[in-house]
Amino acid sequence: MPYRAPVTDFRFIFENVSDFAAVQATDRFADASPDMIEAILEGAGRIAEDVLDPLRRVGDMQGARLENGVVRTPDGFKQAFAQLAEGGWIALSAGQEHGGMGLPISITTAFNEMAAATAMSLGLCPLLTQGQVEALEHHASDEIKQMYLPRLISGEWTGTMNLTEPQAGSDVGALTTKAAPNGDGTYAITGQKIYITYGDHDMAENVCHLVLARLPDAPGGTKGISLFLVPKLIPDDQGRPGVANALKVVSLEHKMGIHGSPTAVMQYDGAVGWLIGEQNKGMAAMFTMMNNARLAVGAQGVGCAEGAYQHALAYAQDRSQMGRIIDHADVRRMLLTMKADTFAARAIAVNCAVAIDMETATHHESWRTRAALLTPIAKAFGTDVGCDVASIGIQIHGGMGFIEETGAAQFLRDARITPIYEGTNGIQAMDLVGRKMMDGGEAAFRLLDEIEADAERARADLPDLAEPVWQATESLREAVEWLVAQSDMRTRFAGSVPFLRAFARVLGGYYHMRAAMAEKGQGPRTKLARFYVARLLPEHAGLLTHAMAGAEDLYALSVDELAA
Amino acid sequence: MPYRAPVTDFRFIFENVSDFAAVQATDRFADASPDMIEAILEGAGRIAEDVLDPLRRVGDMQGARLENGVVRTPDGFKQAFAQLAEGGWIALSAGQEHGGMGLPISITTAFNEMAAATAMSLGLCPLLTQGQVEALEHHASDEIKQMYLPRLISGEWTGTMNLTEPQAGSDVGALTTKAAPNGDGTYAITGQKIYITYGDHDMAENVCHLVLARLPDAPGGTKGISLFLVPKLIPDDQGRPGVANALKVVSLEHKMGIHGSPTAVMQYDGAVGWLIGEQNKGMAAMFTMMNNARLAVGAQGVGCAEGAYQHALAYAQDRSQMGRIIDHADVRRMLLTMKADTFAARAIAVNCAVAIDMETATHHESWRTRAALLTPIAKAFGTDVGCDVASIGIQIHGGMGFIEETGAAQFLRDARITPIYEGTNGIQAMDLVGRKMMDGGEAAFRLLDEIEADAERARADLPDLAEPVWQATESLREAVEWLVAQSDMRTRFAGSVPFLRAFARVLGGYYHMRAAMAEKGQGPRTKLARFYVARLLPEHAGLLTHAMAGAEDLYALSVDELAA
């Protein structure tokens, strides 16, 4: 069944369940008028429905292929990418000085979700390019900016991120790729990188790699890493792609999902690269970019959930078994779980995006810390919801769900990468209970105060929502208090994943409650909020018990006993 | 890494966490001495490790193929099946009068788990054959038994079950396949069946189909369904496979997992069949068989979990990232979750099997109702654990988990069918809160009484386990009381899935506690029990809240509102 973009839901969340109005009130985003936002959301929805949606299955079936050293994308990808480029969809939030639209990240988040719901494997190419644009905007020299940014933003060229090496995994500090000065201001990059999404392809005339590498005599660990821009074809003075650089795709991975997206092993053999930012400050530059990429991946998870939900709903409406299956209580329970969690995850993602936009526009510390707090939650919860909802979608299909032709299985196979890449969800959770609580929980408490204040306001009209949300927030507050009192980081990490999920559960309850408040307790969003608060929110209590269980029992069993 | 069969764990559960000793004390299973059980478990472990384990990946890569109307299995399947047959592993529990070993289902359950952990797609062939043997033992004429049973039990021939039709899905009563009397005591079977596992293959000389069909003038719905045995090759008087019957494989499905197992669309065009059991009583015959098949599928889920756990543990031990990843708290949490839930699901499956064996041996009503109560729980929880643990296994691998070469993804792709086939887990949950509570909850209360009695015994020495298990059991008791008081079945069904999971959570706590009691509170099982009780058991409370939320909110949203 054809995808229908959730434009209405995004508009509702922007208007009623986030501070997006505050973003629009800033000078920085003054152009983002309600009319313009409406037009952009509608346009994004149309391109997702008309151009991207038809490519989901062909991308899965054909996959990307490496043929004689050249990567070929599935049929239709090249044309669709050209349409994205033509419409200005590659990097919506890129600055206007280099041809971008300068739109809020909130809007890009909506687009990223829609792309993931339809042709996630294609959508990864603009998504990676967005990240590169952002890194260059913040850290590159003017010369590099002028050469690269307009071409990346227009989609003539595309971008990749090269962090991981075979021996290092998430431990970026262990990387060994070398950068040797060529004496002319450029560097010779040598090493192997893995998991390079769109490391090569046939949709644009050049591919620009951001590569982490070590300069000679650089310190060990993450303090000795620098960032380099390494184009596939070295631009001439006019910016035309010229001589081939000394790099190649060694192989493509055979993956569980997102088959259409080429995941390359890249080999650099003294390839010419340009230093981006300062020497040995590559990690900082990478982090700027990674933060927004994390939100973008969270939005991908929401997209997988939305796509799977629409797909399962259509099946449940059509399918008859002892009556239409949509009339069975358990099928309803599954559909409502999908819908309620998708809304919760979307609202969290939008609120995170709004905080980033407000930080960009106002440079206020309170928005910076809000964005920092919400980013790991948006990433981990959004992607977990993506997998869970896709799996429920399979279940609703019964035996048909396991047959690939139905398309239900693909949502799960595609979604399953999202809890892993851009920092595993375990890393997100450690970030939340570690770095993001270095303020003694201040940013968290401030958010919990806001929730409780709103719950107080809702108590008279919507007691069945306000009271459980208020209570759950209090329980979460106690857990945050306990957490920040733990100086042993292992104790925090031991419960970090259930803690993050409990935090998301409470936020979900809050945003559902706000949706009901906006409806004045009358309407479908209120009914959905009641379902969420009665059935899904209670999960937080068991999770918080788990979160505060300490680390001792995790190490009580020896490795030999684990293997026995 | 090579699979190591959990022989020790099975032995421990048999001896300490189930009433298996009572099974051994019966006349019916007097042969199943401790020495013999030991030998069988060791033998099952060896064949799984040596013969089946090497086929997991080749089965996935090659898949079963339909070539010119003939189904070809992956390389090595035929030889491995011959070894299973040679060793007597096809139908361990089949009666001795036709060449079976007459072993308890408890032992078959262990074998089924090991086969699923290693080559699940191959193991399905004996599993389906087991079901057919059981159906024929209970319902076939002596003539049919003598012709078919020795050949099925020896693995010369194999069996299938043909329930589903394209238009009917789980609604078996809607089937339309016809059976017309031929006048010679046989019937002409005409119709199409889907999802026929091992509907054809090259591992045995004949394939015997049990087919549900309607006789002329049969009543509508499930009351008009009869069961027929329809061989691929019609046996001659000496039982040699002779003339080809009028049936064929139309196509094989392209599935998410278990690629090595051919899932056929079967076409019957007046094929010769023999009535099994009475006219119009086909559903009853099917149900006898399905109950044990449900337990077998639960054991498959446990097998997927065990395989995924061993795989992830080996990776976590080898992999270094900022130290060995096995030393990271969150990796430990994941590994312990996998191990603790695998144990819980295995113990539930064994206790269900023991109840079936005791029913077989003693015909006591109390064992019959115990088996009936535990079967949907063993099936649904075992298979949910299979998927959840396999997904955690992917997560532990990080990016490598998404790359098919690692093998982590296959466990999830294979496991994902188990919550669907042999009655979806939603159907299991409806069975639990519906049919299995028709006794007013008596069977459930009796089990809860036993748990509380054991918790009382454990209270002095293991208060940190006994108290939470006792409390959780009380909460579950209240939920059962609430449930049986609901005369509106929709209200029961609305919370049936979370109710079943909460029941399993409590049982898991109980069996972990018994393991700790057997260790006298000293040892690795006690440590694992503490992890489970502190971190996983608390989930039951939120689930029970969900279970008792009623049905109203599920129908509050209209279908149009669901689609909005």
Side-chain angles (χ1 to χ4, degrees):
Chain A
M1 55 88 46
Y3 169 77
R4 283 182 49 217
V7 170
T8 311
D9 213 45
F10 269 108
R11 199 167 40 214
F12 182 87
I13 294 173
F14 283 143
E15 289 173 8
N16 300 290
V17 189
S18 73
D19 295 312
F20 188 67
V23 174
Q24 293 176 305
T26 62
D27 286 347
R28 172 72 177 75
F29 296 116
D31 288 355
S33 66
D35 282 355
M36 189 191 189
I37 295 302
E38 177 73 22
I40 302 264
L41 282 177
E42 294 279 355
R46 263 196 312 277
I47 201 155
E49 292 169 359
D50 299 344
V51 177
L52 300 180
D53 194 35
L55 297 177
R56 184 195 296 117
R57 183 133 170 81
V58 70
D60 189 56
M61 296 283 285
Q62 294 187 0
R65 287 102 57 203
L66 179 63
E67 292 173 355
N68 302 320
V70 179
V71 176
R72 306 274 175 216
T73 54
D75 293 347
F77 271 40
K78 186 173 177 165
Q79 294 78 354
F81 186 82
Q83 283 180 268
L84 291 178
E86 173 78 22
W89 298 103
I90 303 296
L92 290 173
S93 298
Q96 294 174 332
E97 57 276 41
H98 296 107
M101 297 172 72
L103 285 168
I105 289 287
S106 310
I107 298 301
T108 299
T109 300
F111 173 72
N112 286 339
E113 186 201 300
M114 295 175 191
T118 48
M120 178 172 155
S121 62
L122 173 58
L124 275 163
C125 192
L127 197 137
L128 269 288
T129 303
Q130 284 167 27
Q132 182 159 120
V133 165
E134 204 184 336
L136 296 183
E137 284 182 338
H138 281 86
H139 302 286
S141 66
D142 285 345
E143 202 178 349
I144 294 277
K145 283 183 188 170
Q146 276 155 28
M147 174 71 80
Y148 286 85
L149 282 175
R151 294 173 175 90
L152 289 166
I153 291 166
S154 67
E156 288 165 86
W157 300 355
T158 69
T160 75
M161 294 199 231
N162 290 234
L163 287 79
T164 311
E165 298 183 7
Q167 79 293 348
S170 301
D171 185 4
V172 178
L175 69 81
T176 61
T177 294
K178 290 189 178 60
N182 287 327
D184 61 353
T186 67
Y187 295 81
I189 310 295
T190 303
Q192 196 172 85
K193 296 283 183 178
I194 59 172
Y195 304 153
I196 310 310
T197 301
Y198 279 95
D200 187 36
H201 60 86
D202 52 8
M203 308 192 304
E205 63 177 20
N206 206 0
V207 181
C208 307
H209 304 284
L210 276 179
V211 183
L212 289 181
R214 287 186 190 286
L215 289 165
D217 310 316
T222 55
K223 293 196 168 69
I225 295 174
S226 305
L227 184 64
F228 298 88
L229 181 61
V230 186
K232 171 182 167 183
L233 303 173
I234 300 170
D236 67 16
D237 293 347
Q238 270 71 51
R240 286 176 301 229
V243 184
N245 211 340
L247 59 89
K248 67 177 179 203
V249 174
V250 177
S251 60
L252 296 184
E253 304 291 0
H254 175 221
K255 305 188 299 296
M256 183 183 187
I258 52 167
H259 294 161
S261 166
T263 303
V265 175
M266 299 292 304
Q267 179 70 41
Y268 296 89
D269 295 309
V272 179
W274 282 263
L275 180 68
I276 302 298
E278 292 175 49
Q279 291 191 358
N280 299 332
K281 295 283 168 66
M283 285 303 286
M286 228 38 180
F287 267 118
T288 334
M289 164 170 49
M290 261 160 59
N291 241 1
N292 289 8
R294 287 174 174 189
L295 168 60
V297 171
Q300 285 190 320
V302 184
C304 292
E306 178 67 37
Y309 171 69
Q310 292 190 17
H311 204 262
L313 177 63
Y315 184 83
Q317 284 180 268
D318 281 356
R319 182 74 172 164
S320 280
Q321 269 181 217
M322 300 163 274
R324 284 194 312 172
I325 69 167
I326 201 171
D327 295 324
H328 294 211
D330 189 54
V331 173
R332 288 265 172 161
R333 181 192 61 80
M334 290 192 275
L335 287 168
L336 283 159
T337 301
M338 297 169 91
K339 190 175 179 72
D341 263 353
T342 303
F343 174 84
R346 181 178 293 139
I348 290 171
V350 170
N351 275 275
C352 178
V354 163
I356 294 171
D357 287 329
M358 290 304 289
E359 180 195 351
T360 304
T362 69
H363 305 289
H364 277 186
E365 178 66 5
S366 65
W367 285 114
R368 192 190 65 73
T369 55
R370 172 65 52 88
L373 180 74
L374 290 181
T375 296
I377 301 175
K379 195 279 179 178
F381 186 66
T383 57
D384 281 346
V385 163
C387 292
D388 293 346
V389 166
S391 191
I392 299 173
I394 292 176
Q395 196 66 19
I396 287 177
H397 283 76
M400 299 293 281
F402 200 63
I403 309 294
E404 289 287 357
E405 278 77 355
T406 324
Q410 189 188 338
F411 287 110
L412 177 56
R413 288 189 295 96
D414 286 354
R416 192 60 191 80
I417 186 60
T418 61
I420 296 173
Y421 64 17
E422 283 307 314
T424 65
N425 286 2
I427 288 176
Q428 306 301 322
M430 286 197 279
D431 179 47
L432 177 64
V433 302
R435 273 163 46 96
K436 303 304 167 64
M437 296 285 163
M438 300 280 272
D439 63 354
E442 196 189 309
F445 292 133
R446 194 159 38 81
L447 179 53
L448 302 188
D449 291 345
E450 289 176 25
I451 298 177
E452 290 187 0
D454 275 342
E456 290 298 346
R457 287 202 303 126
R459 197 182 287 270
D461 293 332
L462 294 164
D464 57 337
L465 299 178
E467 180 59 24
V469 167
W470 191 90
Q471 286 290 352
T473 309
E474 274 300 284
S475 302
L476 180 58
R477 182 188 298 278
E478 286 165 23
V480 175
E481 284 165 356
W482 179 88
L483 203 65
V484 296
Q486 307 305 315
S487 53
D488 174 30
M489 289 311 285
R490 216 178 227 193
T491 302
R492 293 193 191 187
F493 292 161
S496 55
V497 165
F499 174 78
L500 184 151
R501 188 171 176 86
F503 207 132
R505 272 276 160 260
V506 173
L507 285 176
Y510 173 46
Y511 297 133
H512 272 292
M513 183 188 78
R514 279 182 64 177
M517 289 166 76
E519 269 189 350
K520 300 191 191 308
Q522 300 292 332
R525 293 178 187 277
T526 304
K527 297 173 193 169
L528 191 63
R530 293 207 159 101
F531 170 89
Y532 180 97
V533 166
R535 295 176 187 263
L536 305 183
L537 181 60
E539 190 197 359
H540 79 276
L543 290 167
L544 290 177
T545 304
H546 188 162
M548 294 187 284
E552 213 177 305
D553 62 340
L554 298 186
Y555 295 92
L557 281 163
S558 70
V559 172
D560 284 350
E561 287 170 338
L562 279 172
Chain B
M1 56 90 42
Y3 169 76
R4 284 182 47 216
V7 170
T8 312
D9 212 46
F10 270 108
R11 200 166 40 213
F12 181 87
I13 293 173
F14 283 145
E15 289 173 7
N16 301 290
V17 190
S18 74
D19 296 311
F20 188 67
V23 175
Q24 293 176 305
T26 62
D27 287 347
R28 172 71 176 76
F29 296 116
D31 289 354
S33 66
D35 283 354
M36 188 190 189
I37 295 304
E38 177 72 22
I40 301 263
L41 282 177
E42 294 280 354
R46 263 196 311 277
I47 202 155
E49 292 170 359
D50 299 343
V51 177
L52 300 180
D53 194 34
L55 298 176
R56 183 195 296 119
R57 182 131 171 84
V58 69
D60 189 57
M61 297 283 285
Q62 294 186 0
R65 290 101 58 204
L66 180 62
E67 292 172 357
N68 302 320
V70 179
V71 176
R72 305 276 175 215
T73 55
D75 293 347
F77 271 40
K78 186 173 177 167
Q79 293 79 354
F81 186 82
Q83 284 182 265
L84 291 178
E86 173 78 23
W89 299 104
I90 302 298
L92 290 173
S93 298
Q96 295 175 332
E97 56 276 38
H98 296 107
M101 297 173 73
L103 286 168
I105 288 288
S106 309
I107 298 300
T108 300
T109 299
F111 173 73
N112 285 340
E113 186 202 299
M114 294 176 193
T118 48
M120 178 171 155
S121 62
L122 173 59
L124 276 163
C125 191
L127 197 138
L128 270 289
T129 304
Q130 284 167 26
Q132 182 159 120
V133 165
E134 203 184 338
L136 296 182
E137 283 182 339
H138 281 85
H139 302 286
S141 66
D142 286 343
E143 203 178 349
I144 293 276
K145 282 183 188 171
Q146 277 154 27
M147 174 71 79
Y148 286 85
L149 283 175
R151 294 174 175 87
L152 289 166
I153 291 167
S154 67
E156 288 165 87
W157 300 355
T158 70
T160 75
M161 296 199 230
N162 289 234
L163 287 80
T164 312
E165 299 183 6
Q167 79 293 348
S170 299
D171 186 3
V172 179
L175 68 82
T176 60
T177 294
K178 288 189 181 60
N182 286 327
D184 60 356
T186 67
Y187 296 82
I189 311 296
T190 302
Q192 196 172 85
K193 295 284 181 178
I194 59 172
Y195 303 152
I196 310 310
T197 301
Y198 280 94
D200 188 35
H201 61 86
D202 51 9
M203 309 193 301
E205 64 177 21
N206 205 0
V207 181
C208 308
H209 304 282
L210 277 179
V211 183
L212 290 180
R214 288 186 189 284
L215 291 164
D217 309 320
T222 55
K223 292 196 169 67
I225 294 175
S226 306
L227 183 64
F228 298 89
L229 180 62
V230 188
K232 171 183 170 184
L233 303 173
I234 300 170
D236 66 17
D237 293 347
Q238 270 70 49
R240 286 178 301 232
V243 184
N245 210 340
L247 59 88
K248 67 175 181 205
V249 174
V250 177
S251 60
L252 296 185
E253 304 290 1
H254 175 220
K255 306 188 298 296
M256 183 183 187
I258 53 167
H259 293 160
S261 166
T263 304
V265 176
M266 299 293 303
Q267 179 69 41
Y268 297 89
D269 295 310
V272 179
W274 284 263
L275 181 69
I276 302 297
E278 293 176 48
Q279 292 191 0
N280 299 333
K281 294 281 169 66
M283 285 303 285
M286 229 33 181
F287 266 118
T288 331
M289 167 169 47
M290 260 160 57
N291 241 359
N292 290 7
R294 286 175 174 188
L295 168 60
V297 171
Q300 286 190 320
V302 184
C304 293
E306 177 67 36
Y309 170 69
Q310 292 191 16
H311 204 264
L313 177 63
Y315 184 82
Q317 285 180 267
D318 281 356
R319 182 74 172 165
S320 281
Q321 267 180 220
M322 300 163 273
R324 286 193 311 172
I325 68 168
I326 200 170
D327 294 324
H328 294 210
D330 190 54
V331 173
R332 288 264 172 162
R333 180 193 61 79
M334 290 194 273
L335 287 169
L336 282 159
T337 301
M338 297 169 91
K339 189 174 179 70
D341 263 353
T342 302
F343 174 84
R346 180 178 294 139
I348 291 171
V350 169
N351 275 277
C352 178
V354 163
I356 294 171
D357 287 328
M358 289 304 291
E359 178 195 353
T360 304
T362 69
H363 304 290
H364 278 188
E365 178 67 5
S366 65
W367 286 115
R368 190 189 67 71
T369 54
R370 172 67 52 88
L373 179 74
L374 290 181
T375 297
I377 301 174
K379 196 277 179 180
F381 186 65
T383 58
D384 281 346
V385 164
C387 293
D388 292 346
V389 166
S391 191
I392 298 173
I394 292 175
Q395 195 67 21
I396 287 178
H397 283 76
M400 298 293 281
F402 200 64
I403 309 294
E404 289 286 358
E405 278 77 358
T406 325
Q410 189 189 338
F411 287 108
L412 177 57
R413 288 190 293 94
D414 286 354
R416 193 61 192 80
I417 186 58
T418 62
I420 297 172
Y421 63 18
E422 283 307 314
T424 65
N425 285 2
I427 288 176
Q428 305 302 322
M430 286 197 279
D431 179 47
L432 178 65
V433 302
R435 273 164 47 97
K436 304 303 167 64
M437 296 284 162
M438 299 281 270
D439 62 356
E442 196 189 310
F445 292 133
R446 194 158 39 78
L447 179 53
L448 302 188
D449 291 344
E450 290 175 25
I451 298 176
E452 291 187 359
D454 275 341
E456 289 298 345
R457 289 201 302 124
R459 198 181 287 271
D461 293 331
L462 294 164
D464 57 335
L465 299 178
E467 181 58 25
V469 167
W470 192 90
Q471 286 291 351
T473 309
E474 274 300 283
S475 302
L476 180 57
R477 184 188 298 278
E478 286 165 25
V480 175
E481 284 165 356
W482 179 88
L483 203 65
V484 297
Q486 307 306 315
S487 53
D488 174 30
M489 289 311 285
R490 216 179 228 193
T491 302
R492 293 194 191 187
F493 291 161
S496 56
V497 165
F499 174 78
L500 184 150
R501 187 170 176 87
F503 208 132
R505 272 274 161 261
V506 173
L507 285 175
Y510 173 46
Y511 296 133
H512 271 290
M513 183 188 77
R514 279 182 64 178
M517 289 166 77
E519 269 189 348
K520 301 192 190 311
Q522 300 292 331
R525 292 178 188 278
T526 304
K527 297 173 192 168
L528 191 64
R530 292 209 161 101
F531 171 89
Y532 180 96
V533 166
R535 294 177 189 262
L536 306 183
L537 181 60
E539 190 197 1
H540 79 277
L543 290 166
L544 290 177
T545 304
H546 188 161
M548 296 188 284
E552 213 175 306
D553 61 341
L554 299 185
Y555 296 91
L557 280 162
S558 70
V559 172
D560 285 349
E561 287 171 337
L562 280 173

